[in-house]
Amino acid sequence: MAQFGNLNSGRIEWDDAAEMLQILEPFAALNHALLPSGGGMDGDRFLASHEVGCLEMQVSPGYFYLFKPRKLFFQRLPGHPGESYFVVDLEEIPPTGRGDVVGDEYELVLDLGPDGYVSRRRWDEGHLGLDEDGYEIPIPDNARLITRYLKGKIMLVAKQSIYNSRAETYDARHTRMTLDALKEEVRAFLS
Protein backbone atom coordinates (compact mmCIF):
# COMPACT_ATOMS: atom_id res chain seq x y z
CA MET A 1 0.00 0.00 0.00
CA ALA A 2 1.37 3.42 -0.97
CA GLN A 3 2.12 5.78 1.88
CA PHE A 4 0.86 9.34 1.77
CA GLY A 5 3.95 10.59 3.57
CA ASN A 6 4.54 13.17 6.25
CA LEU A 7 1.74 15.72 6.11
CA ASN A 8 3.84 18.15 8.14
CA SER A 9 6.15 18.59 5.17
CA GLY A 10 4.83 21.02 2.59
CA ARG A 11 5.40 18.81 -0.44
CA ILE A 12 5.31 15.05 -0.83
CA GLU A 13 6.41 13.20 -3.98
CA TRP A 14 6.22 9.74 -5.52
CA ASP A 15 7.99 8.30 -8.56
CA ASP A 16 6.47 4.82 -8.86
CA ALA A 17 3.43 4.57 -11.18
CA ALA A 18 1.77 1.82 -9.09
CA GLU A 19 2.08 3.94 -5.93
CA MET A 20 0.80 7.00 -7.79
CA LEU A 21 -2.27 5.06 -8.85
CA GLN A 22 -2.95 4.04 -5.22
CA ILE A 23 -2.61 7.66 -4.10
CA LEU A 24 -4.72 9.19 -6.89
CA GLU A 25 -7.59 6.70 -7.09
CA PRO A 26 -9.38 7.77 -3.85
CA PHE A 27 -9.30 11.41 -5.03
CA ALA A 28 -10.49 10.81 -8.61
CA ALA A 29 -14.12 11.85 -8.25
CA LEU A 30 -13.31 14.73 -5.88
CA ASN A 31 -10.87 16.59 -8.10
CA HIS A 32 -10.81 18.56 -11.31
CA ALA A 33 -7.88 18.01 -13.67
CA LEU A 34 -6.26 21.03 -15.31
CA LEU A 35 -4.75 19.60 -18.49
CA PRO A 36 -1.30 20.04 -20.08
CA SER A 37 -2.82 21.60 -23.20
CA GLY A 38 -5.28 23.89 -21.38
CA GLY A 39 -8.80 23.45 -20.16
CA GLY A 40 -9.88 20.95 -17.58
CA MET A 41 -12.06 17.94 -16.91
CA ASP A 42 -13.57 16.11 -13.97
CA GLY A 43 -12.38 12.53 -13.66
CA ASP A 44 -14.34 9.44 -12.68
CA ARG A 45 -11.45 7.13 -11.80
CA PHE A 46 -7.78 6.36 -12.38
CA LEU A 47 -6.53 3.01 -13.63
CA ALA A 48 -3.41 1.33 -14.94
CA SER A 49 -3.02 1.41 -18.71
CA HIS A 50 -2.04 -1.43 -21.02
CA GLU A 51 0.79 0.90 -22.12
CA VAL A 52 3.72 0.10 -19.82
CA GLY A 53 4.25 2.67 -17.08
CA CYS A 54 1.18 4.68 -18.08
CA LEU A 55 -1.97 5.57 -16.18
CA GLU A 56 -5.41 6.50 -17.44
CA MET A 57 -8.03 8.85 -16.11
CA GLN A 58 -11.58 7.95 -17.11
CA VAL A 59 -13.56 11.12 -17.78
CA SER A 60 -16.78 9.50 -19.04
CA PRO A 61 -17.90 6.03 -20.09
CA GLY A 62 -15.63 4.97 -22.96
CA TYR A 63 -13.41 8.10 -22.87
CA PHE A 64 -9.99 8.25 -21.21
CA TYR A 65 -6.90 10.45 -20.86
CA LEU A 66 -3.66 8.46 -20.96
CA PHE A 67 -0.35 9.76 -19.60
CA LYS A 68 3.00 8.46 -18.41
CA PRO A 69 3.74 9.93 -14.98
CA ARG A 70 7.33 10.79 -14.16
CA LYS A 71 6.55 12.09 -10.67
CA LEU A 72 3.49 12.86 -8.58
CA PHE A 73 3.61 15.78 -6.17
CA PHE A 74 1.16 16.70 -3.43
CA GLN A 75 1.40 20.30 -2.28
CA ARG A 76 -0.08 20.84 1.16
CA LEU A 77 -1.15 24.39 1.98
CA PRO A 78 -1.27 24.78 5.79
CA GLY A 79 -4.38 26.61 6.89
CA HIS A 80 -6.06 25.97 3.53
CA PRO A 81 -6.49 22.18 3.16
CA GLY A 82 -9.16 22.59 0.46
CA GLU A 83 -6.64 24.44 -1.71
CA SER A 84 -3.96 21.74 -1.47
CA TYR A 85 -3.39 20.04 -4.82
CA PHE A 86 -1.58 17.35 -6.83
CA VAL A 87 0.71 17.85 -9.83
CA VAL A 88 1.51 14.94 -12.13
CA ASP A 89 4.74 15.67 -14.03
CA LEU A 90 4.53 13.70 -17.27
CA GLU A 91 7.31 11.79 -18.90
CA GLU A 92 7.48 12.59 -22.60
CA ILE A 93 6.13 9.78 -24.79
CA PRO A 94 6.16 9.54 -28.58
CA PRO A 95 2.99 9.47 -30.66
CA THR A 96 1.94 6.00 -31.81
CA GLY A 97 1.85 7.09 -35.45
CA ARG A 98 -1.68 5.69 -35.73
CA GLY A 99 -3.59 8.58 -34.21
CA ASP A 100 -4.10 12.25 -34.88
CA VAL A 101 -1.51 14.46 -33.17
CA VAL A 102 -2.69 17.90 -32.09
CA GLY A 103 0.21 20.34 -31.83
CA ASP A 104 2.92 18.41 -30.07
CA GLU A 105 0.89 17.96 -26.90
CA TYR A 106 -1.51 15.07 -27.41
CA GLU A 107 -2.67 12.34 -29.78
CA LEU A 108 -6.27 11.26 -30.37
CA VAL A 109 -6.73 7.52 -30.86
CA LEU A 110 -9.44 4.90 -30.88
CA ASP A 111 -8.34 1.93 -28.76
CA LEU A 112 -9.51 -1.39 -30.20
CA GLY A 113 -8.08 -3.47 -27.38
CA PRO A 114 -5.87 -6.33 -28.60
CA ASP A 115 -6.01 -4.93 -32.16
CA GLY A 116 -4.28 -1.73 -31.01
CA TYR A 117 -4.91 1.89 -31.88
CA VAL A 118 -6.40 3.48 -34.98
CA SER A 119 -7.20 7.06 -35.82
CA ARG A 120 -9.96 8.63 -33.78
CA ARG A 121 -11.51 9.67 -37.11
CA ARG A 122 -12.75 6.08 -37.43
CA TRP A 123 -15.10 6.78 -34.51
CA ASP A 124 -16.41 9.87 -36.28
CA GLU A 125 -16.92 7.86 -39.47
CA GLY A 126 -18.79 5.17 -37.51
CA HIS A 127 -16.84 2.20 -38.88
CA LEU A 128 -13.29 0.87 -39.32
CA GLY A 129 -13.34 0.93 -43.09
CA LEU A 130 -14.72 -1.44 -45.70
CA ASP A 131 -14.16 -5.17 -46.05
CA GLU A 132 -13.32 -6.88 -49.36
CA ASP A 133 -17.02 -6.98 -50.25
CA GLY A 134 -17.54 -3.27 -49.62
CA TYR A 135 -19.36 -3.67 -46.29
CA GLU A 136 -18.53 -1.45 -43.34
CA ILE A 137 -16.41 -3.06 -40.64
CA PRO A 138 -18.13 -2.24 -37.33
CA ILE A 139 -16.35 -0.65 -34.42
CA PRO A 140 -16.14 -3.18 -31.56
CA ASP A 141 -18.37 -2.52 -28.55
CA ASN A 142 -15.32 -2.41 -26.27
CA ALA A 143 -13.56 0.35 -28.27
CA ARG A 144 -12.43 3.35 -26.23
CA LEU A 145 -11.62 6.94 -27.15
CA ILE A 146 -8.26 7.98 -25.71
CA THR A 147 -6.40 11.26 -25.58
CA ARG A 148 -2.73 10.37 -25.13
CA TYR A 149 -0.89 13.25 -23.44
CA LEU A 150 2.64 13.34 -24.83
CA LYS A 151 4.19 15.76 -22.30
CA GLY A 152 3.44 18.46 -19.75
CA LYS A 153 1.80 18.44 -16.32
CA ILE A 154 -1.65 17.65 -15.01
CA MET A 155 -2.78 19.61 -11.97
CA LEU A 156 -5.51 18.11 -9.79
CA VAL A 157 -7.41 20.60 -7.66
CA ALA A 158 -10.50 20.27 -5.50
CA LYS A 159 -13.62 20.95 -7.56
CA GLN A 160 -14.66 23.69 -5.11
CA SER A 161 -11.18 25.25 -4.82
CA ILE A 162 -10.56 28.93 -5.45
CA TYR A 163 -7.91 28.01 -8.04
CA ASN A 164 -10.47 25.98 -10.00
CA SER A 165 -12.92 28.89 -9.97
CA ARG A 166 -10.50 31.25 -11.75
CA ALA A 167 -10.95 31.17 -15.55
CA GLU A 168 -7.39 32.31 -16.22
CA THR A 169 -5.97 29.11 -14.69
CA TYR A 170 -7.34 27.11 -17.63
CA ASP A 171 -4.55 28.32 -19.94
CA ALA A 172 -2.17 25.46 -18.95
CA ARG A 173 0.04 27.84 -16.97
CA HIS A 174 0.75 25.02 -14.48
CA THR A 175 2.66 23.17 -17.23
CA ARG A 176 5.02 26.12 -17.72
CA MET A 177 5.55 26.88 -14.02
CA THR A 178 7.97 25.46 -11.51
CA LEU A 179 6.38 23.82 -8.49
CA ASP A 180 7.47 26.72 -6.27
CA ALA A 181 6.03 29.34 -8.66
CA LEU A 182 2.77 27.40 -8.84
CA LYS A 183 2.54 27.25 -5.05
CA GLU A 184 3.06 31.02 -4.83
CA GLU A 185 0.36 31.63 -7.44
CA VAL A 186 -2.15 29.46 -5.57
CA ARG A 187 -1.29 31.31 -2.33
CA ALA A 188 -1.77 34.66 -4.08
CA PHE A 189 -5.31 33.66 -5.09
CA LEU A 190 -6.07 33.01 -1.40
CA SER A 191 -5.34 36.57 -0.31
Side-chain angles (χ1 to χ4, degrees), residues 111-167:
D111 181 12
L112 302 177
D115 294 328
Y117 295 139
V118 296
S119 169
R120 187 211 187 284
R121 286 178 286 181
R122 294 295 184 184
W123 180 266
D124 298 332
E125 294 166 359
H127 58 86
L128 297 177
L130 304 177
D131 66 16
E132 61 275 355
D133 297 321
Y135 294 103
E136 292 180 354
I137 302 168
I139 295 172
D141 291 338
N142 65 343
R144 305 178 316 143
L145 294 170
I146 295 181
T147 298
R148 295 179 74 250
Y149 279 98
L150 306 176
K151 63 181 183 176
K153 294 176 187 161
I154 297 171
M155 182 178 181
L156 299 162
V157 297
K159 290 179 184 179
Q160 301 301 317
S161 71
I162 293 170
Y163 198 80
N164 189 37
S165 70
R166 303 289 294 258

Side-chain angles (χ1 to χ4, degrees), residues 7 23 66 90 92 102 104 189:
L7 288 178
I23 294 296
L66 179 144
L90 307 186
E92 195 164 336
V102 178
D104 62 351
F189 285 155

Side-chain angles (χ1 to χ4, degrees), residues 74-85 158:
F74 176 73
Q75 182 63 58
R76 180 177 171 269
L77 296 176
H80 301 280
E83 300 301 322
S84 299
Y85 56 88

Side-chain angles (χ1 to χ4, degrees), residues 7-21:
L7 288 178
N8 292 323
S9 65
R11 186 178 297 147
I12 306 167
E13 66 181 70
W14 300 265
D15 59 10
D16 177 77
E19 281 187 321
M20 290 181 220
L21 180 59

Side-chain angles (χ1 to χ4, degrees), residues 23-51:
I23 294 296
L24 290 173
E25 180 54 28
F27 296 97
L30 304 172
N31 285 302
H32 184 76
L34 297 170
L35 302 170
S37 57
M41 183 67 74
D42 290 347
D44 292 335
R45 65 185 181 128
F46 286 95
L47 59 150
S49 175
H50 61 79
E51 286 194 47

